[in-house]
Amino acid sequence: MTIKRAVLAMGFICFSSAALAGTPATGLGRASPHAHDWSTDPNWHVYVFVLNGITYLQVNDARNRVIGAVGTTGGQFITLPVGEFAQQVGTPQQPASMTSAIPMASPTTIYNDGKTQLTTTPMSDGTVTMQAASTQMMCDPVDCNIKGIAYQ
């Protein structure tokens, strides 16, 4: 009977640890990925995926249409061929495609984890531009703390 209890206790501990660790984010490129929404703006969704040390950020609009995505590590960025406006996603290493449309508003910060900032800008032709950039702890420390972001 003691062995059964020990096995049951170990199984419970392992199951609890796995549940607390959470499920890994999956579904990059999908309209409704299995990931937490980290957007700071209610009109946008920002889903974060991490694989092999690379962080992937996917932006969806309020209707959950995929707008664009970037990958980042160590201050370097790459635009991913994902989303309705993937050609209009800019990074420090890769500017967005040129367009004749004009901005309809100032850029809105929709994500900032202290290392990476994403902004979106609605354009006159109905498209949206997205810009990814490195930051130097530009987010509010309280906000970063709530999101579990560790300062380095």
Side-chain angles (χ1 to χ4, degrees), residues 41-136:
D41 185 304
N43 297 311
W44 297 97
H45 304 283
V46 178
Y47 301 106
V48 179
F49 307 86
V50 179
L51 182 63
N52 298 327
I54 300 172
T55 300
Y56 300 92
L57 303 163
Q58 174 180 311
V59 174
N60 292 16
D61 66 10
R63 295 185 346 218
N64 239 358
R65 293 179 304 163
V66 181
I67 299 302
V70 296
T72 182
T73 187
Q76 298 296 307
F77 293 85
I78 186 167
T79 301
L80 302 176
V82 172
E84 220 171 295
F85 305 122
Q87 300 83 1
Q88 291 178 263
V89 176
T91 70
Q93 292 82 22
Q94 188 177 11
S97 295
M98 296 299 288
T99 177
S100 60
I102 58 172
M104 298 302 290
S106 297
T108 300
T109 298
I110 61 169
Y111 176 82
N112 188 335
D113 67 5
K115 293 180 183 178
T116 302
Q117 178 179 14
L118 295 178
T119 60
T120 55
T121 307
M123 304 300 283
S124 61
D125 61 359
T127 63
V128 174
T129 62
M130 184 175 107
Q131 184 67 39
S134 294
T135 61
Q136 293 291 329

